[in-house]
Amino acid sequence: MMTRRIADILKSGQPDESVKVQGWVRTKRELKEFAFVEVNDGSSMANLQVVLNPDLADYGTIIKQLNTGASVEVEGVLVESPAKGQRIELKASSAKVFGEADPETYPLQKKRHSFEFLRDIGHLRSRTNTFGAVFRVRNACATAIHKFFQERDFLWIHAPIITASDCEGAGEMFTVTGFNLDKVPRTEKQEIDYTKDFFGRPAYLTVSGQLEAEIMAMAFSNVYTFGPTFRAENSNTSRHLAEFWMVEPEMAFCDLQGDMDLAEEFLKYIFNYVLENCPEDMEFFNQRIDKSVLETADNIINNQFERLTYTDAIKLLEKADKKFEFPVSWGLDLQSEHERYLAEEKFKKPVIVTDYPAKIKAFYMRLNDDEQTVRAMDILAPKIGEIIGGSQREERLDVLEKRIETLGIDAETIWWYLDLRRFGTVPHAGFGLGFERLVQFMTGMANIRDVIPFPRAPLTVEF
Ligand code: 4AD
Ligand code: MG
């Protein structure tokens, strides 16, 4: 008999149907006449209730083995459930235990565990209700992202993970080397001799696939990347990871307006998709994690995002009757508290801030006519702060060369990026969505480490 997923059985299983299920025991209840076991296979929040009768072969042994955490296969017949809250249950005709879980040492008990505790058992936490819901929703977000771009004829491109260039210019890169660190070759001047390293020059884990996406957009018009990116910033916050996934669309023949329009449509699409495809999980988050999850989703889908310039945002922040920890002044970057004030308190919806000072943004952003600001846009979300960062790119060779020189970037290392401006340059734009911040925003999970299966952060690399 084919194994059936529990989600499918709960949704469309009919009385008298024979089924086989495989999963892990969540709870066991032994009565005099029979025993109930709740089985979960990860396909849904809800468990399938299995009823075991003493006429089952090896009943005594099996019941002893069926503790929380044990893996089991059950065959039997579906029957209408007399119990409240479930339509159907499985009357077992045979049961087989694959692996037991000792109730004395199995760390997941029926009670609620803190997320901190669950991070320490990262190899088991996916078997809980919350993490089951998180990773199903994460999967739905990823599906929605591909659907959105594929429906619009964007090409999915695979940006490299190892790179020689620092796209964001923030110097937050992890080095990739083939050297034995005990015997690093030195030059006569005692500097590290990278010519002897694997790539013959310094190499790093990428902080962004944007530069490669720009190359591909100059051939395919509309492309996107969706892959892991890395930042070696030592931030121990609830919104930073050292390894996170980023989605980066890049569009040729597109300006900042088109970039913002796409980003807004994109976020609305993902929220819609997840509400339609994970209603139970979203209901769970709304009840158990953050009471405003469904309201937030509704707000995203049905309201236009607020759009304002950085200069206007600074004016609003200066006028705000709120004490900020960090200073507010034209030319300084917005801190997370400022971003959250704008999105959460001032506008109560996502806010797109544009035209930031050139001094605080990366080299590739298009310079405005005022020569002070660039065509940047950040989307700020309530509770999260920056969720998307994007811009129209500098497509004019002379302006870009000047900018690179001012910033002290070695033009030699990105000669190919400059070539794109020499041969068939076009106005183009794109953005980067932090995938984990999206999943946080969607689920209301407070800590970014709880929306990625295996978080990488300072001193965190166990699982
Ligand atoms: O704003 P960022 O640095 O932009 C870029 O990397 C551009 N190259 C994107 C582009 O235009 N193609 O990063 C983009 C997004 C941020 O808005 C944030 O959501 C997320 O990536 N992000 C992080 N997420 C988790 N942990 C970190 N350490 C992050 N740093 C950035
Ligand atoms: Mg940014």
Side-chain angles (χ1 to χ4, degrees), residues 361 378 386 389:
K361 288 293 187 188
D378 277 4
E386 181 189 338

Side-chain angles (χ1 to χ4, degrees), residues 310-311 314 329-333 354-362 365 372-374 376 403:
Y310 166 88
T311 302
I314 291 293
S329 149
W330 202 98
L332 296 182
D333 207 356
T354 62
D355 304 289
Y356 283 74
K359 281 213 173 84
I360 56 174
K361 288 293 187 188
M365 297 192 182
Q372 297 299 312
T373 58
V374 286
R403 185 91 205 276

Side-chain angles (χ1 to χ4, degrees), residues 176-181 196-199:
V176 176
T177 178
F179 283 150
N180 172 349
L181 294 185
K196 300 215 168 66
D197 201 355
F198 191 93
F199 296 105

Side-chain angles (χ1 to χ4, degrees), residues 23-89:
W24 291 265
V25 174
R26 284 294 176 84
T27 60
K28 171 176 76 175
R29 232 168 356 120
E30 275 184 83
L31 304 179
K32 255 208 216 87
E33 324 78 280
F34 44 75
F36 291 118
V37 173
E38 299 267 336
V39 178
N40 192 289
D41 65 358
S43 60
S44 67
M45 170 77 57
N47 307 317
L48 180 65
Q49 173 153 293
V50 177
V51 189
L52 302 120
N53 285 310
D55 51 13
L56 208 69
D58 296 328
Y59 180 77
T61 322
I62 283 178
I63 291 301
K64 264 208 209 88
Q65 295 176 326
L66 283 181
N67 294 308
T68 302
S71 47
V72 65
E73 176 179 288
V74 184
E75 283 187 41
V77 183
L78 296 179
V79 293
E80 265 176 50
S81 177
K84 253 182 52 192
Q86 59 194 21
R87 192 176 59 83
I88 211 136
E89 60 189 30

